[in-house]
Amino acid sequence: MSTFSIGDTDFLRDGRPHRILAGALHYFRVHPDQWQDRIRKARLMGLNTIETYVAWNAHEPRRGEWDATGWNDLGRFLDLVAAEGMDAIVRPGPYICAEWHNGGLPTWLDADERTLRSSDPAYLADVTGFLERVYEIVAPRQIHRGGPVVLVQIENEYGAYGSDKAYLAELVRVTRAAGIEVPLTTVDQPTDRMLADGSLPELHRTGSFGSRVPERLATLRAHQPTGPLMCSEFWDGWFDWWGGVHHTTDVSAAASDLDALLAAGASVNIYMFHGGTNFGLTNGANHKGRYLPLVTSYDYDAPLDEAGNPTAKYFALRDVIARYAPVPDEVPDAAASVPVFTAELHPAGTWTDAEATAPATEEPATFDDLRHLSALVRYDAELPQGFRGGLLRFDEEIRDLAWVSVDGRRVGTLARTRHDRAIALPPGRRLSILVEDQGRVNYDHRLGEPKGMIGAPLLDGHPLHGWRSTPLDVAEIAARVEGEQPAGSGAMAYTADFALDGASDLFLDTASWSKGYAFVNGFFLGRYWRNGPQRTLYVPAPATRAGTNRLVVLELEHLLEPVASFVDTLALGDLEE
């Protein structure tokens, strides 16, 4: 069996100096049938290691309902890494950021008002259970036991959040007690405070950055005086949010910065090597004064694009790596052509009007009160007898986007992103507010905040009570859509059948739709929104089949054209000028 350790100046593999050339690839963002293809392409770029986070809320969305199969089969993913002759770095958090909803923390963690990312005993009890389950998978796959795992990370950029050393120490204790014997690391942005607060003396500090390499390495060395230097998140791109632009980084600049890292003798983890997709409702959100939900694509302008095809950046970084390490002669195939066609969308009826069967409560129930993991809750209340119109005002922000109707007629929207707090209501009898959770904040101290309507709003200055809160599970609704019904106004479901000669990647252009969710053969592609920048939804080939395929669209507003267009390439939006 091989060994892996940290020496005075280098990582040591079987006692010999070793440089880690890693790429980030999140198994939970890639269809399991495509894992092997992405791993292989990492090896062909010259990488020797795959790094992945572990998303707790993917494995245990509800307390006690642990799943490590299918999309969550971390063991199979690590076995595929080993089969490709590569090493693995595992980063189980429990907090991962990753632009993933709630930073990977399950929403049920917040129910008892425990203090997240701290030595709060109740929080640590749940974290211990999670880590023990993860390490049951990881421990037998450590390098000295014949597996690929060479490093395990403790927490994630903790210095940007807190300085609870007892918390970090307990994570180390749990990790070692579970049989993890490989070296343990931390990662922080290279500032003095973050590097000091985010680690412990027995942990090897690494940095996260994407530029100004000499300066960042010098700061890291001041806090990690011995052993190898490592940038364990070399940011080669960036993420996008709805209403923004598609972010890219200059290929030559990324190559130059990687060259500077490797010339300094540092190890590296390229974040991301392949970003993948926030399928379903898994996108996170940023909030630095303004709430910005992230798009469905996690392309990240990475060396492999969202569909797993090599880009110019792939070959530029490969050329840099070749100056410092052996690179295979083989290169990945160019992107294959994909079917291009259109299909007519047929209306299949309204879909947000489920009967409100819950008893009325004085205040509306949040998503969290309802233990609701899907995107929508509808809130219904009776307006006062003889209501002649007035102002509806919220003391707390709507989380996150609301469509307001009176007697079934749309009145307008309230958006957290716009800081909306009030809307004028016309005369009527019944008020209905459909609220969408657009993605949970994945960074800083807004982790775990409740979603939906927060407290009873004021109608002309007086609290409006008597709310029926109806959760709407969009995946369950899509699975029940069938038949054809006359088109109406407002939220409508649509279907389209299309034929393929065989399973194939597809790019679904949503530019003529407004806002909603799309499914192919029951596979939840994710959210679309004409707000942009993203236009296409990536359809992975394993979600399709030879013969007839079915598209279901749950539209929240209206279609410009009842057509589904499948185009020849990704369209992720306009670039910043």
Side-chain angles (χ1 to χ4, degrees), residues 116-318:
L116 302 179
R117 303 182 73 188
S118 78
S119 52
D120 178 321
Y123 172 69
L124 279 176
D126 284 322
V127 168
T128 298
F130 161 66
L131 289 178
E132 288 175 345
R133 291 186 183 97
V134 172
Y135 293 147
E136 286 175 3
I137 299 167
V138 174
R141 292 175 170 87
Q142 295 174 94
I143 185 170
H144 59 281
R145 296 176 65 177
V149 177
V150 295
L151 295 176
V152 169
Q153 183 179 290
I154 298 297
E155 245 281 350
N156 189 58
E157 293 189 325
Y158 186 64
Y161 184 88
S163 57
D164 187 340
K165 301 293 188 176
Y167 167 53
L168 296 177
E170 181 62 11
L171 295 183
V172 172
R173 187 198 68 78
V174 170
T175 299
R176 290 305 191 200
I180 299 302
E181 300 176 66
V182 297
L184 304 181
T185 66
T186 55
V187 62
D188 281 288
Q189 296 170 49
T191 72
D192 289 330
R193 181 185 64 79
M194 292 184 188
L195 286 165
D197 288 350
S199 194
L200 296 172
E202 63 266 36
L203 302 175
H204 191 79
R205 290 174 169 88
T206 70
S208 54
F209 53 90
S211 61
R212 293 158 50 193
V213 170
E215 171 191 341
R216 302 294 175 57
L217 289 179
T219 303
L220 177 59
R221 179 54 84 196
H223 291 265
Q224 184 58 57
T226 64
L229 291 170
M230 182 172 181
C231 177
S232 57
E233 285 189 25
F234 173 67
W235 302 325
D236 62 352
W238 208 242
F239 52 87
D240 297 339
W241 51 86
W242 293 114
V245 297
H246 175 46
H247 294 85
T248 61
T249 57
D250 181 74
V251 171
S252 60
S256 176
D257 286 325
L258 178 62
D259 190 44
L261 261 175
L262 299 185
S267 288
V268 67
N269 175 44
I270 295 171
Y271 190 100
M272 297 290 299
F273 166 70
H274 172 55
T277 307
N278 296 317
F279 291 116
L281 304 169
T282 57
N283 64 282
N286 264 14
H287 197 311
K288 297 181 179 180
R290 186 171 183 233
Y291 173 78
L292 297 171
L294 305 182
V295 302
T296 299
S297 171
Y298 199 63
D299 178 88
Y300 208 84
D301 194 35
L304 281 193
D305 69 15
E306 185 181 10
N309 295 312
T311 66
K313 187 175 289 182
Y314 179 98
F315 293 103
L317 299 190
R318 186 177 186 273

Side-chain angles (χ1 to χ4, degrees), residues 328-388:
D329 293 334
E330 183 184 358
V331 296
D333 294 334
S337 60
V338 299
V340 176
F341 59 95
T342 60
E344 183 180 357
L345 286 168
H346 302 280
T350 57
W351 62 276
T352 61
D353 51 359
E355 183 180 357
T357 58
T361 56
E362 188 166 279
E363 295 195 348
T366 65
F367 283 60
D368 308 75
D369 294 334
L370 298 166
R371 303 290 191 265
H372 184 51
L373 301 181
S374 193
L376 297 167
V377 172
R378 196 187 70 238
Y379 300 97
D380 300 305
E382 298 299 319
L383 293 167
Q385 188 76 22
F387 178 66
R388 300 174 64 85

